[in-house]
Amino acid sequence: SVINSPLFAGCSNLTSIVVDSENPYYDSRENCNAIITTSQNPYFTPNTLIAGCKTTIIPNSVAEIGDNAFYNSALESITIPTGTTKIGRSAFNNSILLSSITLSATLIEISDWAFADCLSLNTIICYAIEPPTISSNTFFGSNPIYNNPTIYVPAESVEAYKNADQWKDFGQILPIEPTTDYKSQWCNEWNVMFSNGSVYPPSNMPY
């Protein structure tokens, strides 16, 4: 019932992770190719992704990315979904192929060494209005001294990021460009459309 991390460090060819459906403590919900804790797990915070691989798709139900979850992975890009509030210590450390990351609007904290030594990192898109808390070593080895990744944030938050501790050390902090592809922004589950920061009911389309 206890899984220690990092679990799959260096397993660059790993593409599938499946937890037995009868396991009460962990699951691989939504065919995500990862190991996630359940509410019955006495050792971890529920809904924490504790191990993934290069094909992992993080479900929206994941609240935290655990320490070392993708340590030394072969990921090339990753999206942290809405609902996730924390990325743990060394979560993506030494993922040297990781070139782009997308961070959700709900993200609050990115822990020490989370993206350290991600030497290919060149693009960070962060939808959080308030800059998530990071430390001086969160992006160590992936920071402006090495490859100066470009940070894209909500337009109204550009100045906040430029003045926030650690974030301000990145040279390029630019506004996220609004989408103009309205039809691709349909949310079929609720039958509404999201466009440029606004939600429209079917009777009030912006075109």
Side-chain angles (χ1 to χ4, degrees):
S1 59
V2 179
I3 297 177
N4 294 318
S5 65
L7 184 60
F8 300 122
C11 297
S12 59
N13 293 321
L14 182 64
T15 59
S16 178
I17 302 174
V18 180
V19 176
D20 191 293
S21 61
E22 296 184 2
N23 190 312
Y25 303 119
Y26 305 96
D27 64 40
S28 295
R29 67 195 65 168
E30 302 175 36
N31 299 314
C32 62
N33 287 320
I35 301 175
I36 302 170
T37 61
T38 70
S39 59
Q40 299 182 58
N41 193 303
Y43 304 103
F44 294 94
T45 302
N47 299 313
T48 296
L49 191 155
I50 63 168
C53 64
K54 66 180 181 180
T55 59
T56 295
I57 303 296
I58 303 173
N60 289 339
S61 58
V62 168
E64 296 183 10
I65 309 299
D67 295 350
N68 303 301
F70 293 90
Y71 184 89
N72 198 23
S73 77
L75 282 168
E76 296 181 10
S77 64
I78 192 68
T79 296
I80 307 300
T82 299
T84 301
T85 60
K86 178 181 179 181
I87 298 176
R89 184 182 178 91
S90 294
F92 296 89
N93 193 332
N94 203 39
S95 295
I96 61 174
L97 300 179
L98 186 62
S99 63
S100 66
I101 57 178
T102 301
L103 306 173
S104 73
T106 56
L107 194 62
I108 297 172
E109 177 185 354
I110 310 176
S111 301
D112 291 349
W113 312 103
F115 292 99
D117 294 323
C118 294
L119 302 180
S120 299
L121 186 61
N122 56 51
T123 303
I124 302 171
I125 302 172
C126 186
Y127 287 95
I129 300 298
E130 295 292 329
T133 300
I134 63 176
S135 71
S136 60
N137 56 33
T138 296
F139 291 95
F140 181 82
S142 313
N143 63 27
I145 296 174
Y146 294 89
N147 52 355
N148 196 22
T150 301
I151 315 295
Y152 295 92
V153 301
E156 64 267 37
S157 300
V158 169
E159 290 305 313
Y161 279 80
K162 286 184 176 180
N163 290 292
D165 288 344
Q166 316 309 329
W167 290 104
K168 64 184 179 183
D169 295 333
F170 290 94
Q172 291 278 353
I173 300 179
L174 303 174
I176 297 170
E177 293 294 330
T179 180
T180 56
D181 185 2
Y182 295 129
K183 293 183 179 180
S184 69
Q185 298 301 306
W186 274 103
C187 181
N188 294 323
E189 183 176 355
W190 297 311
N191 197 29
V192 296
M193 188 185 70
F194 179 81
S195 175
N196 296 347
S198 298
V199 176
Y200 296 87
S203 61
N204 191 24
M205 295 304 156
Y207 58 85

